[in-house]
Amino acid sequence: MKPLRLILLAVGLAFLGYLVVQVGPETLLGSFQAISWRLLLIVWFPFALIQVLDTLGWRYAFRRDLTPFPTLLAVRLAGEAFNVATPTASMGGEPVKAYLLRPRVPLGEGLASVVIAKTTVTLSQGAFLLVGIALALTVLPPAAPLLKAMTWLAAVEAAALGGFVLAQQKGLFGGGLRLLSALGLSRAEHGHEGARRLDSALSAFYREHRGRLMLSLLFHFGGWVVGSLEVYLILHFMGIPVSLTTALVIEAFAAAIKSAAFLIPGGLGALEGGNMAVFAAIGLGAGVGLSMTLVRRFRELTWVAAGLVTLSLFRPAAGAELT
């Protein structure tokens, strides 16, 4: 899959370049000039609050508290930077997080936590999209093509997430490893016991720790809601005042577009084009959508750089057991 993602990345970069030419570099530069020094505020707030909320969402994906919150925050920052900086379909950083938590957390428990957190953050994004669709009825006609597209996307997400959760409860990793072995694609016989333990940990969590599961969902949902505040601030700083309702609709649809483009590193090109379509449908102009997305890209690059620096500072101990 790596060559495919690299090809998609190249296509995304080319498409982004095309969009920049179509809108006009001078228009985009004017948006950054309008924000001026307040770009520094956008870099740190409200995204710092989103990081805190998402880290809390991850914290409650463990069956017990084993790691101080600052350590979890640093590990998540490093893992998310790895997700964005590498062509791993937003998944490569998840095992990195579990690895960095050693020896405080057994590797198996860490892996279970990142699977659960990935599940709850995606479920909360699906719920956030449903809220966005409901609120979009206040700014778009019910028959609007954008609204229909997002409704279909929500249905696809619901089916995919339902299957993913069910697969976890039925033995996703053990079954997957057995299938690979049967196809001759894996000879890791020693990994079957670890996969069985991981499946058991996931099933037990969903069955026995529903309170922590709900807290994980709620904190991740809060992170998506706070993302709407970032949209609101960027547009206001650009001199385009919008309501909080409109900002929430934009964020809900943008998150869904990025989720759908998960194979493309960072959703590059797809997110820009999708946001332009959303802004055009709402009546704010496609150019404004591209400008806002590039401002968020700048913020993203800053946090990725911070995450990669954090990653370089970690020295986890070796020899952790998959228990």
Side-chain angles (χ1 to χ4, degrees), residues 38-55 69-70 72-85 226 230 234 258 294-312:
R38 291 168 294 193
L39 184 60
L40 295 176
L41 173 61
I42 293 300
V43 165
W44 297 107
F45 180 83
F47 195 71
L49 178 56
I50 295 173
Q51 288 282 4
V52 170
L53 290 169
D54 282 338
T55 302
F69 181 80
L72 276 182
L73 183 62
V75 168
R76 189 178 186 282
L77 180 63
E80 291 300 311
F82 192 91
N83 272 336
V84 175
V226 173
E230 183 179 70
I234 291 173
K258 189 170 185 178
L294 292 180
V295 170
R296 299 184 93 176
R297 288 291 191 195
F298 180 81
R299 180 266 295 157
E300 182 179 57
L301 288 174
T302 304
W303 281 86
V304 167
L308 293 177
V309 170
T310 303
L311 179 62
S312 71

Side-chain angles (χ1 to χ4, degrees), residues 31 35 84-85 120 130 227 262 293 302 305:
S31 297
I35 295 174
V84 175
T120 55
L130 293 178
F262 70 95
T293 309
T302 304

Side-chain angles (χ1 to χ4, degrees), residues 52-75:
V52 170
L53 290 169
D54 282 338
T55 302
L56 286 169
W58 182 28
R59 180 182 185 180
Y60 286 103
F62 292 86
R63 61 188 176 90
R64 50 183 176 162
D65 294 329
L66 295 173
T67 308
F69 181 80
T71 301
L72 276 182
L73 183 62
V75 168

Side-chain angles (χ1 to χ4, degrees), residues 231 235 246-255 275 278-279 282 284 292:
V231 173
L235 292 177
T246 300
L248 193 146
V249 170
I250 291 170
E251 175 67 356
F253 289 179
N275 280 347
V278 170
F279 273 72
I282 293 176
L284 295 175
M292 188 212 68

Side-chain angles (χ1 to χ4, degrees), residues 51 54-55 57-59 61-62 72 75-102 105-122 164 173 198 220 262 311:
Q51 288 282 4
D54 282 338
T55 302
W58 182 28
R59 180 182 185 180
F62 292 86
L72 276 182
V75 168
R76 189 178 186 282
L77 180 63
E80 291 300 311
F82 192 91
N83 272 336
V84 175
T86 57
T88 53
S90 300
M91 292 299 294
E94 305 311 308
V96 169
K97 295 174 188 175
Y99 177 78
L100 294 177
L101 286 178
R102 303 184 309 167
V105 179
L107 187 57
E109 193 164 342
L111 288 171
S113 76
V114 296
V115 173
I116 293 164
K118 198 69 174 180
T119 303
T120 55
V121 74
T122 310
F164 184 50
F173 293 94
L198 180 55
H220 283 311
F262 70 95
L311 179 62

Side-chain angles (χ1 to χ4, degrees), residues 261-275:
F262 70 95
L263 279 178
I264 307 172
L268 195 64
L271 182 59
E272 284 76 8
N275 280 347

